[in-house]
Every structure is written in structure tokens, then in C-alpha cells.
Amino acid sequence: MPNQDAMTREDEGLRLRGARRADRAATIVLGALVAIVCALVAALVFYVLSRGGAKLFDLSFLTGRPQQFKAGGGIGPELFNSFYLLFLTLLISLPLSMGAAIFLTQYAPAGPVTTAVKTAIETLSSLPSIVVGLFGMLVFVLFFGWGFSIISGALALTIFNVPILVRVMQQALEAVPQGRRDSSLALGLTRWETTIHVLIPSAIPAIVTGVVLSAGRVFGEAATLIYTAGQSAPALDFTNVDLTSPTCPWNVFRPAETLAVHIWKINSEGVVPDLAVVSAGSAAVLVACVLVFNILARVLGRALERKVTAA
Amino acid sequence: MMAEMTVERPVDAATTAAGDGRRTTDEALRCEGLSVAYGEKQALAPCDMTFAPSTVTALIGPSGCGKSTFLRCLNLMNREIANCHVGGHIWFHGQDALAPGCDVYDLRRCIGMVFQQPNPFPLSIYDNVAYGPRRHRRLSRAQLDEIVERSLRRVGLFDEVKDELKKSGLALSGGQQQRLCIARTLAVDPEVLLMDEPTSALDPISTKMVEGLMRDLARDHTVIVVTHNMQQAERVSNRTAFFYLGELVEVGPTKELFSHPRERRTQDYLSGRFS
Amino acid sequence: MTGVCAAFVVALVLSLIVLVASHGLATFTVDGVSFASFVTGTVWNPHASDASGAPYMGALPMICGSFVVTVLSCAMVLPIAIGCAIFVVEIAPRFGERVFRPITEMLAGIPSVVFGLIGLTVLVPVVRGFAGGTGFGILSGSLVLACMVFPTVVALINDAIAAVPRSYREGSYGLGCTRWQTVLHVVLPSAMPGIMTAIVLGMARAFGEALAVQMVIGNAAQMPTSLFTPAATLTSVLTTSMGNEAMGTVYNDALWSLALILLVMSLVFILIVRLIGRAGKVRGNA
């Protein structure tokens, strides 16, 4: 400043010192905030795992039958139902979302069609899961008359899962360098061949990571299921292979309460005498499974990445 | 405060009006054994250079020769890059800018920087120019208006934009954006201006305007400019330094360096044998 | 062939909207309840009828409950999420990548019933301890929701801040501004559309969350008057009542109307996100 007097120079000095002090204070405050958040999350997970931790290795709990009015119930059928539902859901939703993702990234003509598909997926991804569950009840349970059943639950979970998977796959496919795609097309391969032989192999690490992460979310989902897969778990007989029998584990038309639904149900009904123990144990099993999915997603993704880049 | 040594700005620099040469000594900035490494990799071998006040110094050399790295050291912009190590000394007003206690923020206010790509903030034209002064001083509306107008006039932009100061800085053309960035730098009243290929993203007409501006600014600023363009170096600079492969090869008055380079490598570069 | 998958998804969404809407509107078209009295009535007891024979179908307590827990939880999350995102993007990026992100992803993976359970066993007793009453209520619900939406919001804000061009930061540093000044005056304003999108998506998630809220809010369909008294949300009433009412009854139709409100709100949230995106684009090009 050409006509800067002593007053403003002093003011400038103060401002500078204030700015520096604010900078340092902000760094400290934000650091403390992040530390607190990390500590809270760690405490939360530790709390869940430690409270029910003993049950994680208790075979009679993991395989036992649930009890409604007595203490000492297990979660055997629920655990099986959770995995079976997850498997069926992935079986249906993987091809569907792969198709939609390939359409969106490779074929979609710019224009109203693509916009419609994108809007639909966006809408689906922000729908409350309870609304998805109610829609599932309306269509699969009542309209198709499948009742509270595994198939109804798996289809409802598919609706819940598809937008997540489509987004993951779309991002993975878009991340493949354009040059790789162009060079394949330049060799005279069709778009479909390029997709199958070039794009998907390059994108597979990211896709696997995303799919396994989404599996964790499906595994813990309950709101979608309470009115589709039902809230009761009939005893399962693993020697029964009659697919129409309600005790056959593989029968897709039997009702199937999952682990997450079980936690919700026993807590809202509150009649099981050892409610606290069972729900703590179930929660620990649930969280442990989800953590395993998370770690698996990372490890698998990294291993595949290494294989793809080295090959 | 204990750890804060501020770079004292001499009274004459602050009080003399612009235009008549603010410094009397022949040294605005001096580097001594300045070297840069990114992790293990040396990007710039130790070099010495002195910059005289009220001159334009051009730094030339092929891509990746270390000229931009050198420039970014001068106001410690590479402090913002992880694992970048700077050695040696940068003497500015008798103090070493690389000494541990020296204040980066103060130094950067005295040694301003203009970047290769025009980078106006997504704010209005007015707020762009007022950004620095607002952060550094408490100013009345009138004082701020005056600074903004003076800075914009200085870069010849005021008459072009005076009716739309509220418009986003991003709405201007490339050349106008770059001049806006120069005005933004001038608004905090630096003594030294570092310019990192300031015209490489501009069209020829804007380039000409910015070159004229550099010459004009050199009346009361020390200007150091990195350029790819040897004709530009010849047109605007008093002194030129040639960098090659992370090394300062030679430095001298522009006319001399271009007509009688001392080093073979300089000669080869200037005659276009490599680039 | 892939087009079939895409078409299927579109058909699915359309049929979902049509079906829920047709059931939800039955309250007004078949049962003759007026829409205005439905959204402004404060008494919810569709089994009983008032003197004129119209059932007590005021959804306002649930609508209020849903909005209050949503706004409260997001108001709690927003400053914390912005602070954390600034720290991990601007101050300690390596820590952010190696520690903070895995931790928030872990939080995001925890199932909502587990959050509900933690709320039930930890939060509710604590709230009961200092505020008295049952401990069930809006505050407990908001706190549980805050934990649940935090990972979503922080990840989105993170992306928004990281997407601010480096050149903006350099410009500010080049003028001798401190990191905090740069963050406050350049980075945050530039990231504002992204931050707003993040918070709206967080609100959408909080608004639609069912079980965790239902487990701690107390499920009393009364107008929320205090943070500590039991209340209800649209989702909690749906969760608890849908199984008990036969299809086609007036009560059941009313529940579908609540579901329709949920659906419409989630569409509104998407619309807001779209508008923010469009406004951001316009500003960027201008």
C-alpha cells in the first residue's frame, strides 16, 4: 500500500498473527475431532463384538434352534437363511445389473432412453428399504401368491441391491482406459466381444470388490425382508431333499427369517427371556460376518488386481 | 511470538509511490546453492543466482529441465508437495527464506506467483482481486474498492470489466482470466512476481498484452518468468537463465546470452538442435 | 440383450411407483378421507371414528416425527462430517486413505438393526439417565440416525472437497494465505454444491431408515412436543402396523398412504440433488 500508515501496518501484523493462530488451532481442533470419531467407531464395533463375542465360537448357539419363550435358543436356521438368501439374491441381481451396466456404458444411445434408465436407477437407489419391502409384499407375496417366502425375499433384496451393483459395475467399466477399448475395436472385434474379452477382465477386480461389499449390506438388511421373507424360521432338516417340504432348507417357497430380522423381531416382541444374550450374540455374528465381507472385498480385489496387471 | 520471524519490509518499499523504483540496492532476491529433490530423485542441482530489482529475468530450457521447479521454490510453493526437499538458501531482505523459523505466508505475500493455467477462484471478479487483501488486512469498503480498481487498472482490465465486477471470474476469456490472476497477485502488493509460463495457455493477442504487462510491471517489481518461448524471453527479459537436465547452465544479460552464449549446450538449444 | 436388463429396471421402477401410488391414493379415492385432513390431522387412530363417523387419520405426528429426526440427525452430522473431511483431505491425506476411510466404510457396513440394538442397550439408558422419562424418543432416534448417515455424508463431502481443483488452492497459497484461510474461503465455497448434495442424500437415507429408528423412538403416534418423549415416524408406523392390518381395510389403506408419502419424499430428495447439480453446472460455465 503506497500510503500505509503505522496503524494499518500494526493491524496487518495482528491479522497475520491471528490467521496463523487460527490455522494452527483449526488443525488441532479438526485432528481432535477425527480422533474422537475414529475412537467412537472403534468403540462401537468393539462393544458389539465383545458383548456377544463368546457366542461367536459357541457351536450350540450358531447351529441351535431358536426358542420363543425359553432361554438358550440358537440362531442356526437364521444363519443359514441369511446366507441362502444372499446367495439367491446375488444369483438374480448379478446378471441383471451386469446387463444394465454394460448397456449404460457400452451401448446406450445418448438421449431419452439412457436418461430414463439412469433416472430409474437413481430413484431405486434412494428408495427407503421399507418401501421396497412393501412393494415386494404387494407383488411377490400377494399378487404372485408366493407368501412369505425365500423367493419373495430374494426378489425384494434384488430390487434393493441392483442400483448399488449397477453403480459399482458402471464405475468399474468406465475406469477401463479408453485406449484399451479402442485398440480392441480397431482389431475388428465387435462391441460385445470387446466387452467380454477386454472390458470385463480389466474391470473384474473393482467389480468383485464392489459385489462383495454390497453382499455385506444385503446380509444385514432387514427392513426389506420383514414383509417378504417373513418373520418365522421353521426348523430345517438338512436330510430332507424334498423341495416342496417346508422343512427342506433349499425349498424357496418356505418362510425364512434372517439373522437381521431375528434381532429386530425378538427385540420388538421382547418375550424371549434371555433376550439380551441372544440379541448380543446375534449382533456379534452379524457384525463379524459383515467385517469378514469387508476384509474379503479388499483382499480379493487386491489379489485380482495383481493378477490382472501381472498377466 | 517465539518461533515467528517475519520478513521485515523496508520502510521505503512501503512508502514510495509506485513507478519510481522502490529499491536502491542491486539485489532483490538471491539463491545460494539452491537444490530440490523429490524423494530420492534430484530435480535441481545446487545453483546460485541473483535477481536485480526492477528487472525481468527469463528462465528457459527444455521441458523437465528444472526451471519451473526452481521458480516454485522461490516462494516455497513446493512446501505443499509431500516429500519435496529443498536445500540451500534463498536470501530475501537479508533473511534466509529456507531457515526453519521463516514464515512461509509472509514470504509468499512479498513474492507473488502467477500460474501457467489461469486459475481464478470461482468467485466474482471483484472478490477474486479482493481475496488477498481481505485475508491479510482489515479494510473499509472504500479502501477495498480502491485496491481492486488500482489492481485491475494496472493490468488493463478495469475498463473491460468495470460494469460487471460482480460477474464470475470464470466467465472471462482466457487472456482476461490470466490478467485477473495477475491483478489478484498485485492486490497484495508483492515486490517480486514469479510467473510460470503465464502465456502458454493464451492466444497470441492476449500473449502480447501479458508480455507488455510484464515489461510494465518491471518498472517497480522484480519479475521472474519461466517460458518455453525463446522469442518471448528475448522480447521481455533483461536477463536470461538457461536450465538443462536439472542444472543451471548459464545466466547472463539476455542480449549477450542469445548472441554469444558461453556454453555449448546453450548454443545448441538456442539454435534449435534440441528442444 | 443388455437393453432388456435396462428396460427391466425401468419397468420395475415404474410399476413400483404406480402400485404404491394406487394403494396409497385409495385412502382418498375409495375411503373418502380428505387429503387435507390426512396431512394436517394430529390424531392417529384409524380403528376409531370421531362423532361424524370419519376415522381418526391424522398423519401429521408421523410426518413431523420423520422430518424432525431427519433434520436433527443431519444437523448433528454436517459439522462433524465437514470437519473430518477437511482434515483427511487437506491436512492428513495419507491418514485419510489408510485409516479414516476403512473405518468409515466399516461403520457404513454395520447393519441397521445392529445400530438399533446399540441404541436400545446404550443410548436409551443414557438418555433416560439425564433426561428422565423412558429414554425412547426423538433424541435417541436422531442420535442413532446420525451414526448411520455419517459414513455416507462424510464420504460424499470427502469427494466434493477432493474434487476442488488444485489450482484454486495454489492460487490462494500463492497469495500468502494460510491453509485454514484457503479452506474457509476457497475450498469450501467451491465444494458447496457437492456438500449440499451430500447432506440431501444423507437426509434421504435418514428419512427412509426404518428399523433402527423404530427400535428407539418409542412408537407413540403423538405430536412430538419434546426431544425425550416417545414419538413415531412414517417408517416406524409402517414397520409396526403393516403386518397387523388386513389388505383392503381402511387402516391398511392409510398405511399405504404413509408409504406413498415416503416414496414421494424420496423422489423430492432426488429432485433436489438434480437441481443442485444443475445449478452447480450453470455456475461453473457462466
Side-chain angles (χ1 to χ4, degrees), chain B residues 59-88:
Chain B
L59 312 179
I60 61 169
S63 304
C65 66
K67 54 192 194 302
S68 280
T69 301
F70 174 82
L71 188 80
R72 280 169 167 257
C73 273
L74 296 178
N75 74 345
L76 304 183
M77 277 309 279
N78 41 24
R79 281 273 167 91
E80 311 306 329
I81 301 169
N83 78 23
C84 172
H85 304 287
V86 183

Side-chain angles (χ1 to χ4, degrees), chain C residues 24-57:
Chain C
L25 292 176
T27 311
F28 314 119
T29 54
V30 180
D31 304 327
V33 176
S34 90
F35 179 73
S37 72
F38 186 75
V39 295
T40 55
T42 56
V43 180
W44 175 258
N45 185 8
H47 283 313
S49 299
D50 60 18
S52 64
Y56 287 108
M57 260 200 254

Side-chain angles (χ1 to χ4, degrees), chain A residues 168-206:
Chain A
V168 165
M169 293 179 180
Q170 207 183 337
Q171 281 171 352
L173 289 173
E174 273 165 4
V176 178
Q178 184 71 24
R180 220 176 282 175
R181 191 184 145 197
D182 288 350
S183 58
S184 165
L185 289 172
L187 288 172
L189 275 78
T190 63
R191 257 199 287 191
W192 179 248
E193 288 169 319
T194 304
T195 307
I196 295 297
H197 299 293
V198 179
L199 289 174
I200 294 182
S202 317
I204 210 80

Side-chain angles (χ1 to χ4, degrees), chain B residues 14-247:
Chain B
T15 49
T16 45
D20 55 357
R22 48 161 64 176
R23 308 262 286 116
T24 46
T25 54
D26 58 354
E27 173 189 312
L29 190 66
R30 182 162 57 85
C31 315
E32 204 181 306
L34 186 67
S35 67
V36 184
Y38 294 108
E40 297 292 299
K41 194 176 165 286
Q42 173 128 350
L44 183 67
C47 61
D48 300 319
M49 210 189 310
T50 304
F51 300 94
S54 302
T55 57
V56 178
T57 306
L59 312 179
I60 61 169
S63 304
C65 66
K67 54 192 194 302
S68 280
T69 301
F70 174 82
L71 188 80
R72 280 169 167 257
C73 273
L74 296 178
N75 74 345
L76 304 183
M77 277 309 279
N78 41 24
R79 281 273 167 91
E80 311 306 329
I81 301 169
N83 78 23
C84 172
H85 304 287
V86 183
H89 306 280
I90 298 172
W91 296 104
F92 184 59
H93 290 297
Q95 283 196 21
D96 183 2
L98 292 175
C102 181
D103 191 281
V104 191
Y105 308 122
D106 232 347
L107 184 84
R108 288 191 189 141
R109 295 177 51 227
C110 304
I111 305 181
M113 181 127 189
V114 177
F115 298 85
Q116 185 171 356
Q117 287 289 336
N119 59 346
F121 301 132
L123 305 170
S124 72
I125 296 172
Y126 184 96
D127 290 336
N128 259 289
V129 181
Y131 180 86
R134 268 184 182 146
R135 299 291 87 77
H136 299 317
R137 265 177 272 139
R138 193 178 307 280
L139 294 165
S140 68
R141 184 78 205 184
Q143 285 173 305
L144 211 51
D145 286 348
E146 196 251 308
I147 292 177
V148 171
E149 184 180 336
R150 185 157 39 85
S151 307
L152 284 173
R153 275 195 196 288
R154 195 70 212 276
V155 299
L157 200 56
F158 188 74
D159 291 326
E160 293 168 44
V161 300
K162 66 179 170 215
D163 299 322
E164 39 191 20
L165 289 175
K166 289 273 161 275
K167 225 166 87 176
S168 166
L170 295 170
L172 298 173
S173 73
Q176 287 177 318
Q177 286 192 10
Q178 191 61 299
R179 282 185 287 149
L180 175 65
C181 292
I182 298 174
R184 184 176 70 187
T185 309
L186 291 176
V188 294
D189 198 31
E191 292 169 48
V192 180
L193 267 176
L194 309 177
M195 297 180 152
D196 190 357
E197 299 189 29
T199 62
S200 66
L202 304 186
D203 61 282
I205 293 169
S206 303
T207 300
K208 202 167 165 230
M209 284 177 100
V210 172
E211 282 181 9
L213 189 54
M214 281 187 232
R215 295 237 38 99
D216 178 50
L217 288 171
R219 281 189 286 132
D220 50 355
H221 291 79
T222 305
V223 178
I224 306 172
V225 54
V226 165
T227 175
H228 251 335
N229 179 334
M230 287 182 276
Q231 287 74 42
Q232 182 172 69
E234 231 175 331
R235 283 194 296 265
V236 300
S237 70
N238 308 89
R239 282 165 69 79
T240 298
F242 172 62
F243 285 80
Y244 184 58
L245 295 178
E247 194 186 327

Side-chain angles (χ1 to χ4, degrees), chain A residues 1-4 8-9 11-13 15-17 19-21 23-24, chain B residues 1 4 9 14-15 103 105-106 109 134-138 147 150 189:
Chain A
M1 290 289 297
N3 40 17
Q4 200 176 34
T8 59
R9 275 171 65 80
D11 176 49
E12 187 172 349
R15 276 290 263 208
L16 279 172
R17 204 165 303 150
R20 244 159 268 157
R21 212 173 287 157
D23 185 51
R24 232 168 289 151
Chain B
M1 299 291 290
E4 289 170 2
R9 304 173 73 184
T15 49
D103 191 281
Y105 308 122
D106 232 347
R109 295 177 51 227
R134 268 184 182 146
R135 299 291 87 77
H136 299 317
R137 265 177 272 139
R138 193 178 307 280
I147 292 177
R150 185 157 39 85
D189 198 31

Side-chain angles (χ1 to χ4, degrees), chain C residues 254-268:
Chain C
L255 289 177
W256 281 102
S257 302
L258 297 186
L260 180 62
I261 295 178
L262 266 181
L263 180 69
V264 169
M265 273 314 295
S266 84
L267 295 180
V268 168

Side-chain angles (χ1 to χ4, degrees), chain A residues 77 80-85 87-88 145-154 228-230 232-257:
Chain A
F80 175 80
N81 289 342
S82 288
F83 279 107
Y84 191 36
L85 255 175
F87 170 76
L88 284 180
W146 293 332
F148 290 146
S149 63
I150 290 193
I151 186 73
S152 305
T228 52
S232 62
L236 300 178
D237 175 7
F238 280 84
T239 58
N240 187 344
V241 287
D242 175 11
L243 282 183
T244 55
S245 153
T247 60
C248 172
W250 314 106
N251 178 2
V252 293
F253 292 106
R254 65 178 172 87
E257 181 196 43

